[in-house]
Amino acid sequence: MKILVLAPFTQEEKETLITRFPQHQFNFTRKITQEMVDETEMIIGNPSKKININRSNLKALQLASAGSDTYVKDGILHSNTKLANASGNYGKAIAEHTIGMILALNKNFKIYFKHMQDHLWQEETGGKEIYHSTVIIVGLGDLGYELAKRLKAFNCKIIGLKRHVTNSIPGVDELYSIDKLDEVLPRGDFVILCLPQSKETINMFNYQRLMRLKKDAMLVNVGRGSAINTNDLKTVLKAGHLYGVALDVINPEPYPSDDELWDYDNVLITPHVSGGFEWPSVHEFFLNLVIRNIDHLDKNEPLENEVDFKTGYRKKVIYHDQ
């Protein structure tokens, strides 16, 4: 099988794949051409929109991203092509970043960083503790699961919301379907959004929903920026609602440099950097996912993280505890 690899594997990881699958032919490249696609049976990574990947020869596309909304649209892939995303790949790294942003706002680090630049020894009053807080995680896939596990160390009560409620999830005290969102939101001291992008999630947090949060709640978004209506968020903040907001994703991206939201004292923005292939945990997970899915493809088995083209979500959620 010819396998086209666009993902940024290290040389050691490339050699691992070649050694593990001597029967397959790997082409490692960062510059994809139409000719390459027309001759390959599996792609690992995210091909450009400029390339036509609707090809009958393509058996599988293994994305390097958790999001797959671009590739489930009609006509993008051939009906015979299996699609798998990289859900589970970034949970550990993003969970650390998320807790870091929360602590930075809770403990006034943003203000203290400014004081350091001014060589100013000055105490700031006020703040917020995670300890014994109620945390609502909206979107309980791998990232939400990794966050729940870590936040339990702060003795938090974890409330999770997901599309379908099935079995209980370790570390989650209460679990609800997403249609209970408005009912649950007023209970949260912290509300963390870990949502993928879909028709249902775009502008899910508009003015009315944002106002359902506690006045002193903190809102965090590490899923997709489109989940929050940015103009409505600014209106809510100007009204003195919400303790703070931490955003690693925002709509639009990149965010305009002249926008006033950058200057809000209780807002922390990072440029969509919480997950990425610079983190060892990401490399480790993705390499093993690729190995498993090549094995599955060889055996004509369903892929891990295989995506349902109708919903845009994984057919089965697997919570990784590694």
Side-chain angles (χ1 to χ4, degrees), residues 11 47 59 87 103 199 245 251 291 299:
Q11 185 58 40
K59 296 179 180 179
S87 291
L103 290 172
K199 294 178 182 178
V245 179
N251 186 32
I291 288 172
K299 298 172 184 176

Side-chain angles (χ1 to χ4, degrees), residues 60-311:
L61 170 58
Q62 169 63 67
L63 298 175
S65 62
S68 53
D69 48 291
T70 299
Y71 299 92
V72 297
K73 296 176 181 177
D74 290 342
I76 298 297
L77 288 170
H78 192 274
S79 59
N80 294 332
T81 304
K82 295 181 177 182
L83 175 65
N85 65 27
S87 291
N89 207 31
Y90 305 101
K92 294 176 177 61
I94 298 177
E96 288 189 15
H97 188 96
T98 302
I99 293 173
M101 288 195 296
I102 291 172
L103 290 172
L105 285 176
N106 277 8
K107 305 304 179 186
N108 299 313
F109 288 165
K110 186 177 177 182
I111 298 173
Y112 287 129
F113 289 152
K114 292 179 182 178
H115 288 350
M116 281 191 64
Q117 292 174 340
D118 296 334
H119 297 191
L120 179 63
W121 182 277
Q122 178 175 306
E123 180 182 353
E124 292 296 322
T125 59
K128 197 174 179 71
E129 283 190 313
I130 303 177
Y131 177 68
H132 272 184
S133 295
T134 296
V135 180
I136 297 173
I137 300 176
V138 186
L140 209 62
D142 176 77
L143 170 55
Y145 172 62
E146 293 291 345
L147 271 168
K149 288 195 301 182
R150 286 155 177 76
L151 288 169
K152 287 306 289 184
F154 293 90
N155 296 110
C156 293
K157 180 173 186 176
I158 308 296
I159 300 176
L161 293 109
K162 61 197 298 282
R163 286 191 310 137
H164 303 296
V165 177
T166 51
N167 300 326
S168 62
I169 299 173
V172 177
D173 299 292
E174 299 179 25
L175 186 60
Y176 301 97
S177 56
I178 199 70
D179 61 343
K180 301 294 185 183
L181 179 61
D182 287 335
E183 181 181 329
V184 172
L185 276 180
R187 299 172 56 192
D189 300 302
F190 297 87
V191 177
I192 306 175
L193 311 186
C194 305
L195 294 162
Q197 182 168 291
S198 69
K199 294 178 182 178
E200 293 77 20
T201 63
I202 293 175
N203 287 327
M204 177 179 281
F205 281 77
N206 55 19
Y207 176 83
Q208 291 77 16
R209 190 156 277 145
L210 290 168
M211 290 300 293
R212 292 194 65 80
L213 275 69
K214 287 182 178 181
K215 183 179 177 63
D216 64 344
M218 182 186 292
L219 177 65
V220 184
N221 192 8
V222 287
R224 287 296 188 95
S226 59
I228 299 176
N229 185 300
T230 308
N231 288 329
D232 287 355
L233 176 62
K234 287 189 283 188
T235 300
V236 166
L237 289 170
K238 287 177 182 177
H241 198 73
L242 301 181
Y243 171 84
V245 179
L247 306 168
D248 183 53
V249 291
I250 191 170
N251 186 32
E253 292 183 9
Y255 200 62
S257 60
D258 59 350
D259 191 89
E260 61 181 335
L261 192 60
W262 290 103
D263 299 318
Y264 286 38
D265 287 337
N266 62 341
V267 173
L268 179 59
I269 300 172
T270 57
H272 204 150
V273 293
S274 58
F277 274 87
E278 64 267 33
W279 307 113
S281 63
V282 174
H283 274 268
E284 177 185 1
F285 183 95
F286 190 64
L287 176 62
N288 288 321
L289 175 64
V290 166
I291 288 172
R292 292 193 299 271
N293 272 344
I294 293 175
D295 273 331
H296 289 317
L297 197 60
D298 284 343
K299 298 172 184 176
N300 198 29
E301 297 173 344
L303 302 183
E304 184 175 331
N305 284 0
E306 190 166 337
V307 175
D308 184 330
F309 283 85
K310 293 182 180 179
T311 66

Side-chain angles (χ1 to χ4, degrees), residues 21-70:
F21 299 103
Q23 73 276 29
H24 296 319
Q25 179 182 334
F26 290 91
N27 180 6
F28 299 97
T29 181
R30 300 306 300 273
K31 295 181 179 180
I32 186 173
T33 66
Q34 191 62 54
E35 183 180 2
M36 291 176 184
V37 173
D38 293 344
E39 295 178 349
T40 198
E41 294 162 88
M42 183 180 189
I43 297 176
I44 299 170
N46 293 36
S48 167
K49 297 177 183 178
K50 298 178 181 179
I51 299 294
N52 185 356
I53 55 175
N54 188 337
R55 291 291 188 261
S56 59
N57 54 281
L58 185 61
K59 296 179 180 179
L61 170 58
Q62 169 63 67
L63 298 175
S65 62
S68 53
D69 48 291
T70 299

